[in-house]
Amino acid sequence: MSLDFPDPHVVELAVQPEDIDAYQHVNNAVYLTWLDRAAWSHSAALGVPLEHCVALRRGMAAQRIEIDYLHAAMKGDVVQAATWIVSADGRLRAERRFQIRRVADGQTLARARVDYVCINLDSGRAARMPQLFARAYVATVRS
């Protein structure tokens, strides 16, 4: 099984005991945490670590999240969360795509799309991206 787009940013994550729910698979909410970890890791790699966001009083906040759960992750699995920026307007909005795969067999477990909007961390309102964000959050693939 291959990745959906070329040149992903990938984080590898091990399923933790607390990730397992009453159905004996990874709870759906955990996938959202994995998406967040991949996005933050990618942002840091692009030169926008959390510390810069706090100093600039700006951040990219999720506005809409769509997750398609395809197969369950289970106890003992190691997964890769891949992410790509597929659109960005350089002013306010950016969209990421995600693919979560099990390392052992390459099976895609989930795909997600997250629309982000730049916000002022003090007011919580939408705000124009700082130049640092606009330079970093550039689409590298087309969906």
Side-chain angles (χ1 to χ4, degrees):
M1 301 281 170
S2 63
L3 289 168
D4 293 341
F5 302 106
D7 302 317
H9 179 84
V10 179
V11 252
E12 196 163 282
L13 305 156
V15 171
Q16 300 300 307
E18 60 271 18
D19 297 338
I20 304 300
D21 65 16
Y23 293 158
Q24 298 306 304
H25 62 75
V26 172
N27 185 274
N28 293 10
V30 173
Y31 288 79
L32 187 56
T33 301
W34 291 346
L35 302 181
D36 196 50
R37 287 185 190 168
W40 274 114
S41 175
H42 191 210
S43 289
L46 293 172
V48 187
L50 177 59
E51 302 79 39
H52 288 10
C53 297
V54 171
L56 292 168
R57 305 307 301 151
R58 295 292 183 271
M60 297 302 289
Q63 182 181 40
R64 179 180 173 87
I65 300 170
E66 297 175 12
I67 303 175
D68 293 320
Y69 299 98
L70 306 171
H71 300 280
M74 310 298 279
K75 181 179 178 181
D77 281 346
V78 174
V79 300
Q80 291 177 328
T83 188
W84 304 262
I85 297 173
V86 298
S87 71
D89 65 11
R91 296 181 310 275
L92 189 65
R93 301 180 188 286
E95 177 190 338
R96 285 183 179 277
R97 295 289 173 98
F98 297 86
Q99 183 179 0
I100 303 208
R101 295 187 326 159
R102 184 175 23 249
V103 170
D105 61 5
Q107 181 72 54
T108 295
L109 305 178
R111 287 187 174 89
R113 170 189 166 187
V114 180
D115 294 331
Y116 294 90
V117 64
C118 185
I119 63 166
N120 178 310
L121 297 181
D122 297 317
S123 70
R125 293 179 182 244
R128 188 172 183 88
M129 285 183 189
Q131 278 301 110
L132 174 66
F133 288 28
R135 284 192 306 268
Y137 298 130
V138 175
T140 56
V141 295
R142 298 284 176 227
S143 59

